Amino acid sequence: LGIPSSPALINLGSVYDFPEIGAHGPINHVITYVPGLDMFLDSTDPFSRFGALSAANAGKPVVLTRLGRLAMTPALRARDNWSRTEIELDIDGGGTVRGKARAQFGGEMERESRSDRFGGAWSSPEKLVRDLLSRFTENGTGELEFADPADISVPFHVESRFVLDPPTYLPGPGAFVIPVGLAPGRLAARVDNQPLANYRLPKVCRSEQVTERYRIRFPASVRIERLPRGTVFRAGPIDYRSRFERQGRQVLVTRTLEIEQPTAICSAQDLAQRRDFHHVLRRDLRAQILLR
C-alpha cells in the first residue's frame, strides 16, 4: 500500500539480547516496523489486535534490515495486558453453586484467550467444560459463549454459566472457599504455579493487571458468621489487594493485582518478591467464609 516499513528480525523464544559477535542463531522470526507510527506489527500472529504484540515479541532487540540499525520492541505494560472478570454465585440451601461470569481482556491476555477458545473449538462442549473445571479440582456442568476468536477487528470477551457441586454442604456449620467455576481463574492459576526456592539465573517475567469481582448470594437459611479480613501486599513492582464486604445475605469480594515490571527479565530480588507474594496470594485465595 506504499506505507514505509521495514522487516524486523527477532527471536521468538527466550533470547532477550543479541551476542556482540555477529551470529544468525538467535534470530528465528521476522515482524514489521512502521516508522511513521513508531509501531511494531506481527502479521503472523492471528490473535493479536492491531498495535498489540505478543509477550514473546515484547521487550526484545530487533534488526531493522531496511533501516540498517538495531532497535527494541516496547516492553509489555500492565495497562496493556489485563483481565477483568465479574462473577455472580448463587448458593442454594444444600450448598450447590449456580454461577455466571463475564471476562474481558486486553493485550497478551486477550491473545491467549482467543487462542485457547480457538483451540477448544475442536473439543466437545462437555469436554471443554470438564477440562476447565478440573483445573482447580471442581466438578459440575456449564457452557461458554464467545464471539469468533479469529475476528480481531472487535474486542474479545467470554461469558459463562455453570453449576458446581457444593464446596461445603449446607446447612452448616461450614466454611465456604470461593470457587473459580468457568471464570478465567488468573489468580488461582498463579497459586498453582509455585516459584522455585532459589533462582541462579534471570527469569522472564510479565507486567499485568488482573481484577476479579464476586457477588455471592447465600440462602436465608444460612447465617454468615465471619468474613476474611482481606489482604494488602506491596513489594517492588507488585501491588495486590483484596476486600470482603457483607451486604445482607450477599458477600462482595474484590481482588486486584497489578505488576508493572520495567523489563521482560526479573532479577533475583524481583523473584524473591514474587515468592513472597505467592505465599500471600495462596493464603488469600484459600480464605474461608464461615457459615452457620
Side-chain angles (χ1 to χ4, degrees):
L1 296 177
I3 300 173
S5 65
S6 171
L9 308 184
I10 193 171
N11 174 266
L12 195 67
S14 59
V15 176
Y16 282 79
D17 197 8
F18 288 154
E20 294 183 6
I21 298 176
H24 64 80
I27 293 174
N28 61 6
H29 189 51
V30 59
I31 59 178
T32 302
Y33 177 65
V34 181
L37 300 176
D38 190 24
M39 181 181 291
F40 289 89
L41 307 170
D42 188 350
S43 60
T44 72
D45 183 351
F47 301 117
S48 290
R49 301 187 68 203
F50 179 77
L53 282 180
S54 69
N57 284 318
K60 287 187 172 180
V62 295
V63 181
L64 301 179
T65 58
R66 183 162 293 169
L67 302 180
R69 62 180 175 88
L70 300 180
M72 291 285 294
T73 60
L76 197 64
R77 296 302 181 198
R79 66 177 181 270
D80 300 321
N81 181 37
W82 53 268
S83 169
R84 302 184 188 113
T85 310
E86 303 284 341
I87 306 109
E88 295 186 19
L89 303 177
D90 286 280
I91 320 301
D92 70 14
T96 298
V97 179
R98 289 173 172 80
K100 62 181 180 179
R102 177 183 172 88
Q104 299 172 283
F105 313 93
E108 174 66 7
M109 292 191 192
E110 179 177 344
R111 189 197 68 80
E112 289 178 345
S113 183
R114 287 178 182 271
S115 178
D116 289 345
R117 300 288 71 79
F118 184 84
W122 307 109
S123 299
S124 69
E126 294 80 8
K127 184 180 185 303
L128 175 60
V129 168
R130 185 170 63 251
D131 290 347
L132 289 173
L133 293 179
S134 68
R135 297 172 300 169
F136 310 111
T137 64
E138 297 173 353
N139 295 295
T141 59
E143 58 183 6
L144 299 175
E145 294 182 5
F146 47 88
D148 180 4
D151 183 1
I152 59 173
S153 65
V154 295
F156 189 66
H157 68 271
V158 177
E159 297 185 8
S160 63
R161 295 182 180 273
F162 50 91
V163 179
L164 304 179
D165 292 349
T168 185
Y169 288 96
L170 300 176
F176 183 86
V177 177
I178 301 173
V180 175
L182 293 180
R186 293 278 178 177
L187 296 177
R190 295 186 70 94
V191 171
D192 276 359
N193 187 19
Q194 182 170 350
L196 297 176
N198 293 290
Y199 284 98
R200 294 185 298 106
L201 298 171
K203 187 176 185 298
V204 176
C205 295
R206 289 185 186 178
S207 297
E208 60 184 299
Q209 286 181 350
V210 178
T211 302
E212 296 179 356
R213 295 189 178 93
Y214 285 85
R215 181 180 295 272
I216 310 168
R217 302 180 184 91
F218 292 95
S221 58
V222 168
R223 187 170 74 226
I224 302 171
E225 291 283 339
R226 187 166 66 84
L227 299 181
R229 296 179 59 182
T231 299
V232 175
F233 179 91
R234 296 176 184 168
I238 303 172
D239 188 339
Y240 175 75
R241 309 170 191 217
S242 69
R243 186 179 70 233
F244 295 77
E245 178 184 356
R246 179 177 175 179
Q247 293 183 355
R249 296 198 303 271
Q250 296 187 130
V251 174
L252 308 182
V253 182
T254 302
R255 292 182 170 122
T256 60
L257 168 65
E258 179 168 311
I259 301 179
E260 190 64 83
Q261 195 72 36
T263 67
I265 302 298
C266 276
S267 65
Q269 180 181 359
D270 294 330
L271 295 171
Q273 292 168 343
R274 288 181 179 237
R275 284 195 303 271
D276 294 340
F277 171 58
H278 179 269
H279 297 306
V280 170
L281 180 62
R282 178 172 57 186
R283 182 167 186 169
D284 188 58
L285 264 61
R286 292 180 178 176
Q288 299 173 333
I289 301 171
L290 299 185
L291 308 171
R292 184 176 295 277

